[in-house]
Amino acid sequence: MGAVPALASAFQPRTGLRERIEQARAGHATVVLTQVLSGGGGVGKSQLAAAYAHHALSEGTELVVWVNASETQQVVAGYSDVARRIQAPGAGGQDAETDARAFLAWLAVTSRSWLVVLDDLADVEEIAPWWPPPSRAGHGRVLVTTRRRDALLSGGGRAVVEVDAYTPAESMAYLRDRFTGAQTPHLLDVQAEDVVRKLGYLPLALALAAAYMINEDVPCTPYLEVLTDCELRLETLLPHQADTEGYGRQIAAALLLTLDAAQQCNPVGLAAPALRLASHLDPAGHPQTLWADAAVTRYLTTHRSGSTEPAALPPPDVTTEQARSALRLLHRYGLITCDSRHGPRAVRLHALTARAARETTPTHDVPATVRATTDALAAIWPETDHTDPDLCSVLRANTDTLAAHAGDLLWQSHGHAVLYRAGKSLLSAGLYAAALTHWHHLATTAGRLLGPEHSDTLTARANLGTAYREAGRTPEAITLLEQVVADAERLLGAEHLETLAARNNLATSYLMAGRAEEAITLLEQVVADADRVLGLGPESIAARANLATAYSEAGRTAKVISLEEQVVADIERLLGPEHPDTLTARANLAISYREAGRAEEAITLEEQVVADRERLLGPEHPSTLTSRNNLALSYAQAGRTAEAIPLEEQVVASFERLLGAGHPSTLTARNNLAVSYKETGRAEEALPLLEHVVADIERLLGPEHPDTLTARANLAASYRQAGRGEEGITLEEQLTTDAERLLGPEHPNTLTIRANLAFSYLEEGRAEEAIPMLEQVVVGRDRLLGPEHPETLTARNNLANSYSNAGRTAKAITLLEQVVADTERGLGPEHPYTLDARNNLAMCYKEAGRAEEAIPLEEQVVADRERLLGSEHPDTLTARANLAISYWQMRRAEEAIPLEEQVVAGRERLLGRDHHDTLTARYNLAASYRQAGRTEEAITLLEQVVADAERVLRPEHPSAVAMTDTLRSWRRANKPRWWRW
């Protein structure tokens, strides 16, 4: 009884949803269908109920009643009619309500099977006396469809099932079935998935769209172009004339059907303006906290309709609680979803509901709606993104959505601050490609609307330059920033604060391009201008800190430390010892100490910075994590790897949790951890980590970003250390080609990559290929950085090693003697580079048979490293091992043995008994025992070494084979000889 709707064309059974309905039915007499994300009508509630009604009839249910429940009187009339037709006891036909009650009483006691469907229930309160009762015989069932979400729906033994739009698979199946049934399968093309996504998988919208495409013979691809045209209204895109299923309403009216009723409920008059504001935000959700902002409550106050206050009185201010009540009201009427469990996406609505709300917003109200929404977004944005990265991600998405809807309204006299805040947030999140797109759009729009010389246009172009640089497109960054500096100097003056900032930004790009001297010249001017115009203040101190970084890049180590020590003193005096900028200055000074080989001073300072940042900023602030990472690097340089690696592992875990696995800071931390694994001989752990870093960084920044090249270089070095030299060389050869193409043949990073390739050639015995390459590196660094730059000295040192490996010992010695003299003069006698150069010179002296000259030099290196680095630093152990070999070569085994015993003990403790360097040290000790006449000890020790080498390296490994051959020869030499008489 009643008009049960026919099933729609291409009806989808929605198996998963029906299973949930059946589960809800168990133990409940009534099942209420409602939607959860659709924002209103069109999700197919009535069609689901109709499918159940048709199924009930086909299964032999004796009574199926379909009642339109949009008004309570219609429910009463429907019940009354059914009561008369089934001749329910007490139904006399004189009074509708009496007959309706008779019908309900009959439902409770009858033994017949029945199904009652209340379709489109609107008034939950008024329907209370007219709920069908439970069937005492257990043969009855009630289905209700409604847009409401009131708590009353779940009372009285009823279960609420939330009905959403179709799933993507159901949506595609619908289109496929609909087009096939209409004999137009050609309309389903490659853009079909984008069409159903754009329609939000809404069944009603899909039905209207499919009918339109069939009628007009328009495939999905051209329809999608029309659908994404923001200028077209929904009625044009989804015309009600295409309503082949008899829904009966225009799409906008269908989606907003309950809005008028919501407007009349408390808080009266707020539903419509609240929905209009929400419709300008991301349908996927926005924070509920936005509705507590003053910009929103002012907007609701101004645009409230239906107020009960006298017309002469100004409307009372809408409170935060009333704004929240308006959200809950819209939620109850199925126009939005408001659920705090979804965090920063607590408030959601269907994209088509949002579009319908925007289209029905009076034109004169749009600017105020946009302004309130924009101001509220800006107000709730955290001061720093790290405090709530999920919230910032949602705010960026909402800013994008708002900007797409608002267009030029966000550029009245200037660009709204929220646009600039979103761009900086993208840079902070390491989303450089998205940041580049964002700032390019802002710069273009600002230039068009405000003019090329407006300060907001300059700011947008400057940030676009930063985005180019961070995305690895340094040449484009420099070109743009040079224009920005010229424009700022012309428009604002050379000493304006924004001009100084632009010149500082340009200098940073020069540094990334390897143009350190140009950066220094520019920054020295910035420092002088800042001092003259601003005096000693934060801006002047920041300029000095950047200048120190440029000095560091140029290898002017002494100048760096002197300047940074002055910066620390000035900023402590100006801002206090606990200001964040003071801590940053100390952290920079510590890095310079470490780079100068003063690891213990760096550690002392960094431990203090870590403690201060943990106390002042919190243990998981990005600056705190960066400080911990820097401290770990200093521990590693000081040979304290047992402290460094756990700290780096903690930093990686924290960055992954706070910023995500793909954030640049996370990738840097994982790269540093992998390098530490590699340097402590844990190549089997380093390699997978570096391979993941390379894959992640290529995906995030692209294969040609400088940071990607660096990660690939570290991976190649790990391949080399793991004995996979050919793989390392293949990767480095490709890297060299890429760096020369992307950065230029004389960029510092290109020279470093070329030097690494040459080193790999040396490791594989290809010295003759390495030498020309290293000679090019020396010439390039000499011309680019100067003859006494640390990297130039390193290149000359590596070239000398290659000469030595090629048997050109005399040439190596000549070059190394120059390097030692230059490093002592330029970096100081105790700098790590100086100690390395002395050590290499001693090795060459030994190769040339000049051991008597090598030993004093090595003794000095051992003494210096013990004093500077400590007795168990890996470099100290290496220096002792080299000196012991020299003693052994001079037949001074008794002096070699104590040194080698210390080396073995230290390496076992630091690297483990099975590390290749530990095995080598034990082998050398065995050789010294034998030379000293302690043959039995020598053979016993070598037997242990051979067993460990075969187990760890495999018997066929060259080192294991050599050790086994030595053991055999010692055993033969130790056998007693018997003479025949």
Side-chain angles (χ1 to χ4, degrees):
M1 298 183 184
V4 179
L7 293 183
S9 305
F11 173 78
Q12 297 301 302
R14 308 182 77 170
T15 306
L17 178 56
R18 291 178 71 140
E19 287 176 355
R20 286 198 288 122
I21 295 171
E22 293 301 325
Q23 290 170 1
R25 181 185 180 187
H28 293 87
T30 304
V31 179
V32 182
L33 307 184
T34 189
Q35 74 293 342
V36 61
L37 293 176
S38 67
V43 296
K45 304 180 300 297
S46 295
Q47 276 290 299
L48 276 169
Y52 273 99
H54 286 293
H55 179 73
L57 289 170
S58 66
E59 290 292 310
T61 300
E62 294 172 270
L63 176 66
V64 175
V65 178
W66 185 280
V67 179
N68 183 339
S70 58
E71 294 182 4
T72 304
Q73 288 307 311
Q74 289 181 300
V75 175
V76 172
Y79 286 175
S80 175
D81 181 56
V82 175
R84 289 193 301 273
R85 295 174 64 180
I86 65 172
Q87 298 180 353
Q94 302 300 315
D95 178 72
E97 289 194 2
T98 300
D99 291 350
R101 290 191 182 92
F103 170 62
L104 295 179
W106 180 86
L107 289 177
V109 300
T110 184
S111 60
R112 295 181 179 182
S113 57
W114 55 266
L115 169 66
V116 174
V117 179
L118 301 179
D119 184 41
D120 196 20
L121 175 64
D123 196 324
V124 178
E125 291 81 7
E126 284 194 5
I127 200 66
W130 305 108
W131 282 113
S135 169
R136 295 175 189 172
H139 300 313
R141 184 177 183 186
V142 181
L143 283 176
V144 178
T145 69
T146 181
R147 299 174 184 233
R148 299 285 295 270
R149 288 192 176 101
D150 301 65
L152 288 173
L153 291 171
S154 57
R158 294 178 290 274
V160 176
V161 178
E162 297 175 336
V163 178
D164 200 352
Y166 282 154
T167 66
E170 289 168 343
S171 299
M172 288 298 296
Y174 172 81
L175 277 190
R176 190 178 299 107
D177 294 347
R178 185 74 173 89
F179 290 152
T180 300
Q183 298 184 346
T184 56
H186 64 283
L187 301 180
L188 192 76
D189 61 23
V190 294
Q191 296 291 345
E193 290 186 359
D194 292 326
V195 168
V196 299
R197 186 183 306 112
K198 193 70 177 176
L199 292 171
Y201 311 113
L202 190 70
L204 172 61
L206 286 166
L208 295 175
Y212 174 88
M213 287 188 276
I214 291 168
N215 290 343
E216 302 298 325
D217 194 30
V218 176
C220 289
T221 296
Y223 182 75
L224 180 64
E225 295 176 6
V226 176
L227 188 60
T228 54
D229 187 345
C230 295
E231 299 299 320
L232 296 178
R233 298 177 71 84
L234 281 176
E235 180 55 24
T236 302
L237 302 171
L238 304 167
H240 72 281
Q241 294 89 343
D243 180 13
T244 59
E245 311 301 346
Y247 194 84
R249 298 188 183 97
Q250 292 184 346
I251 182 72
L255 295 171
L256 304 178
L257 186 62
T258 59
L259 182 58
D260 288 342
Q263 272 285 86
Q264 306 309 313
C265 296
N266 283 324
V268 175
L270 292 185
L275 184 63
R276 290 167 186 164
L277 190 149
S279 72
H280 285 77
L281 293 166
D282 184 8
H286 64 265
Q288 196 169 347
T289 53
L290 180 138
W291 296 85
D293 185 71
V296 171
T297 55
R298 282 197 303 270
Y299 168 80
L300 293 177
T301 299
T302 304
H303 292 80
R304 187 174 198 168
S305 61
S307 174
T308 57
E309 295 293 320
L313 296 176
D317 291 342
V318 172
T319 65
T320 298
E321 186 56 38
Q322 287 175 317
R324 183 181 180 280
S325 295
L327 285 183
R328 296 303 302 172
L329 180 63
L330 291 171
H331 174 85
R332 291 204 313 274
Y333 276 83
L335 291 159
I336 69 169
T337 296
C338 182
D339 188 342
S340 60
R341 292 174 297 179
H342 289 96
R345 293 194 181 275
V347 184
R348 292 169 290 161
L349 73 167
H350 195 279
L352 293 183
T353 303
R355 188 164 183 167
R358 291 194 303 274
E359 289 181 0
T360 55
T361 300
T363 304
H364 61 273
D365 282 348
V366 172
T369 306
V370 168
R371 185 166 55 253
T373 310
T374 313
D375 289 347
L377 280 176
I380 66 172
W381 211 303
E383 184 176 351
T384 53
D385 283 15
H386 80 273
T387 56
D388 197 337
D390 290 341
L391 171 61
C392 292
S393 175
V394 170
L395 292 176
R396 291 194 300 268
N398 277 274
T399 301
D400 287 345
T401 302
L402 176 62
H405 298 322
D408 295 351
L409 289 174
L410 297 180
W411 298 86
Q412 295 304 299
S413 59
H414 57 84
H416 196 285
V418 77
L419 298 173
Y420 291 76
R421 182 66 182 85
K424 291 179 179 178
S425 179
L426 286 168
L427 288 170
S428 174
L431 301 171
Y432 300 136
L436 196 56
T437 301
H438 180 92
W439 285 112
H440 188 275
H441 176 72
L442 251 61
T444 302
T445 305
R448 175 173 60 86
L449 296 175
L450 305 178
E453 298 186 346
H454 193 282
S455 61
D456 283 4
T457 306
L458 287 179
T459 300
R461 289 167 60 208
N463 281 296
L464 175 58
T466 300
Y468 275 133
R469 182 179 68 237
E470 295 299 330
R473 297 166 60 175
T474 312
E476 292 164 277
I478 289 173
T479 299
L480 178 57
L481 290 171
E482 286 175 337
Q483 295 170 358
V484 170
V485 167
D487 290 344
E489 288 177 342
R490 176 172 52 83
L491 298 170
L492 305 175
E495 296 179 346
H496 191 279
L497 191 59
E498 289 189 24
T499 306
L500 297 178
R503 287 156 67 194
N504 183 74
N505 201 7
L506 174 59
T508 302
S509 296
Y510 281 154
L511 282 176
M512 183 168 279
R515 296 160 61 175
E517 293 302 327
E518 292 172 87
I520 287 171
T521 300
L522 191 55
L523 285 167
E524 287 175 338
Q525 293 172 358
V526 171
V527 168
D529 291 343
D531 282 349
R532 184 174 60 259
V533 175
L534 304 171
L536 184 62
E539 294 83 3
S540 173
I541 291 172
R544 280 192 176 84
N546 291 335
L547 177 57
T549 301
Y551 283 152
S552 177
E553 291 292 321
R556 304 187 195 178
T557 309
K559 263 193 164 184
V560 173
I561 291 176
S562 173
L563 183 56
E564 287 185 329
E565 287 175 337
Q566 185 60 52
V567 166
V568 169
D570 290 342
I571 205 165
E572 282 183 348
R573 184 173 64 255
L574 186 68
L575 302 178
E578 295 190 341
H579 191 279
D581 291 349
T582 306
L583 300 182
T584 298
R586 285 200 200 119
N588 291 338
L589 176 58
I591 291 171
S592 296
Y593 282 154
R594 183 176 69 241
E595 291 176 350
R598 296 160 62 177
E600 291 302 327
E601 290 173 89
I603 287 171
T604 300
L605 194 51
E606 284 169 333
E607 287 176 336
Q608 180 186 349
V609 170
V610 167
D612 289 343
R613 280 181 166 166
E614 285 179 345
R615 178 170 49 82
L616 298 170
L617 304 178
E620 294 199 328
H621 188 284
S623 295
T624 307
L625 298 178
T626 300
S627 294
R628 285 201 199 113
N629 197 61
N630 288 336
L631 176 58
L633 293 175
S634 294
Y635 281 153
Q637 182 172 308
R640 296 163 61 177
T641 52
E643 295 167 90
I645 288 178
L647 193 54
E648 287 177 317
E649 290 171 335
Q650 293 171 7
V651 169
V652 167
S654 296
F655 270 135
E656 287 179 342
R657 184 174 63 259
L658 293 172
L659 303 180
H663 192 280
S665 296
T666 307
L667 296 176
T668 298
R670 286 162 62 197
N671 182 76
N672 291 341
L673 174 60
V675 170
S676 293
Y677 283 155
K678 173 175 67 70
E679 291 179 350
T680 54
R682 295 164 63 177
E684 70 285 353
E685 294 171 85
L687 276 175
L689 191 54
L690 279 171
E691 287 170 339
H692 283 125
V693 167
V694 169
D696 289 344
I697 208 167
E698 281 185 346
R699 185 176 64 254
L700 180 69
L701 303 179
E704 298 184 344
H705 192 281
D707 290 352
T708 307
L709 300 182
T710 300
R712 288 164 64 198
N714 288 332
L715 177 58
S718 291
Y719 281 147
R720 183 174 64 236
Q721 186 175 7
R724 296 161 61 177
E726 288 304 321
E727 289 176 84
I729 286 174
T730 300
L731 183 54
E732 285 174 328
E733 287 173 338
Q734 183 60 53
L735 266 172
T736 302
T737 302
D738 290 345
E740 288 176 348
R741 175 173 54 85
L742 297 169
L743 305 177
E746 291 201 341
H747 189 284
N749 291 356
T750 305
L751 297 177
T752 298
I753 289 169
R754 204 180 288 145
N756 289 342
L757 174 58
F759 187 79
S760 294
Y761 284 155
L762 283 175
E763 289 280 300
E764 293 297 310
R766 298 162 61 177
E768 293 304 326
E769 292 173 84
I771 287 172
M773 194 169 288
L774 285 170
E775 288 173 337
Q776 292 173 3
V777 172
V778 168
V779 170
R781 284 184 173 168
D782 201 347
R783 181 169 58 252
L784 186 66
L785 305 175
E788 294 191 354
H789 190 283
E791 292 186 16
T792 307
L793 296 174
T794 299
R796 289 161 64 197
N797 188 49
N798 291 338
L799 176 59
N801 287 338
S802 69
Y803 287 152
S804 174
N805 287 350
R808 297 154 68 174
T809 309
K811 197 167 187 178
I813 288 173
T814 300
L815 182 54
L816 280 169
E817 287 174 337
Q818 294 171 357
V819 171
V820 168
D822 289 343
T823 53
E824 286 179 343
R825 182 178 63 257
L827 303 178
E830 296 184 343
H831 193 281
Y833 288 1
T834 306
L835 301 184
D836 288 341
R838 283 198 201 116
N839 183 73
N840 291 339
L841 177 57
M843 299 287 287
C844 284
Y845 281 156
K846 282 191 287 189
E847 289 173 10
R850 296 161 61 178
E852 69 283 354
E853 293 173 81
I855 287 175
L857 202 53
E858 288 178 321
E859 289 174 335
Q860 182 185 352
V861 170
V862 168
D864 288 341
R865 283 186 166 160
E866 285 180 344
R867 184 178 72 260
L868 297 171
L869 304 178
S871 60
E872 290 204 346
H873 190 283
D875 291 349
T876 305
L877 298 178
T878 299
R880 284 197 195 119
N882 290 338
L883 175 58
I885 291 171
S886 296
Y887 285 153
W888 181 85
Q889 289 175 338
M890 296 297 293
R891 311 294 297 179
R892 295 163 60 177
E894 293 300 334
E895 293 171 88
I897 287 171
L899 285 175
E900 288 174 327
E901 288 175 337
Q902 293 172 2
V903 171
V904 168
R907 284 183 173 168
E908 285 184 344
R909 189 160 45 250
L910 291 175
L911 305 177
R913 181 182 178 86
D914 292 339
H915 190 279
H916 189 277
D917 290 348
T918 309
L919 294 174
T920 301
R922 292 162 65 199
Y923 175 85
N924 290 340
L925 176 58
S928 293
Y929 282 158
R930 185 169 184 270
Q931 188 185 83
R934 297 159 62 176
T935 308
E936 293 299 330
E937 290 176 85
I939 290 176
T940 300
L941 179 55
L942 188 54
E943 287 173 339
Q944 296 171 356
V945 172
V946 167
D948 290 341
E950 289 181 341
R951 175 174 51 80
V952 175
L953 304 175
R954 299 183 308 277
E956 66 273 14
H957 190 281
S959 296
V961 171
M963 291 174 182
T964 302
D965 290 344
T966 300
L967 179 59
R968 288 196 190 102
S969 69
W970 288 5
R971 284 171 173 166
R972 284 196 301 269
N974 198 43
K975 284 183 178 180
R977 296 183 180 180
W978 297 93
W979 296 89
R980 296 182 66 182
W981 296 87

